[in-house]
Amino acid sequence: MPVAVGTARRIVRDLLTAWGVPGEVRDDVLLVISELVTNALVHAAGERISCRLRRTAERVRIEVEDQDGGPGLPVVGRPGPHEQHGRGLFLVEALSSDWGVTAVPDRPARVVWAELPSVRHA
């Protein structure tokens, strides 16, 4: 699993750099992609996930699709201060301007997506 997350981070970092996305935005996107890919690998039912990234002048959209869905919808956890897990979607929610889950028509797949501003405003 760490290899898949690291590979996703590397590919996304290279793409964001080529797109000229500022470093602080790039760091936030990399954290969100790490969390979404990790969640898909840990919680989803499928054997294959895919990631998509889109950029406009205003935002970067991340989509992580689990090909077989999973046993329930992802929800933001509120772990206690000593718990080791459960903060992934909390971080996604904190860093994103919006996020959600969308079913894929005609198959059991779902997409967890997040949108972040493509530039930071002071």
Side-chain angles (χ1 to χ4, degrees):
M1 175 171 46
V3 172
V5 175
T7 299
R9 283 179 60 89
R10 187 179 67 254
I11 291 167
V12 168
R13 183 184 55 242
D14 292 348
L15 182 58
L16 294 172
T17 299
W19 284 348
V21 173
E24 64 274 3
V25 173
R26 189 171 53 237
D27 292 344
D28 289 350
V29 171
L30 290 173
L31 181 53
V32 169
I33 196 83
S34 295
E35 295 301 335
L36 293 182
V37 169
T38 298
N39 282 353
L41 291 168
V42 170
H43 299 292
E47 294 183 15
R48 182 170 167 244
I49 63 168
S50 61
C51 301
R52 290 181 291 277
L53 212 63
R54 295 186 191 122
R55 178 178 176 256
T56 67
E58 298 84 30
R59 69 174 194 231
V60 175
R61 182 179 174 96
I62 302 161
E63 297 179 354
V64 176
E65 180 178 339
D66 170 32
Q67 304 296 316
D68 275 331
L73 292 176
V75 295
V76 176
R78 301 287 186 227
H82 303 293
E83 293 182 56
Q84 298 294 317
H85 303 283
R87 291 176 178 77
L89 288 178
F90 179 76
L91 290 171
V92 170
E93 183 177 68
L95 294 171
S96 302
S97 54
D98 198 12
W99 77 278
V101 181
T102 305
V104 176
D106 302 322
R107 54 192 171 104
R110 67 175 170 212
V111 175
V112 181
W113 56 269
E115 293 180 349
L116 290 81
S118 59
V119 295
R120 276 242 176 102
H121 300 287

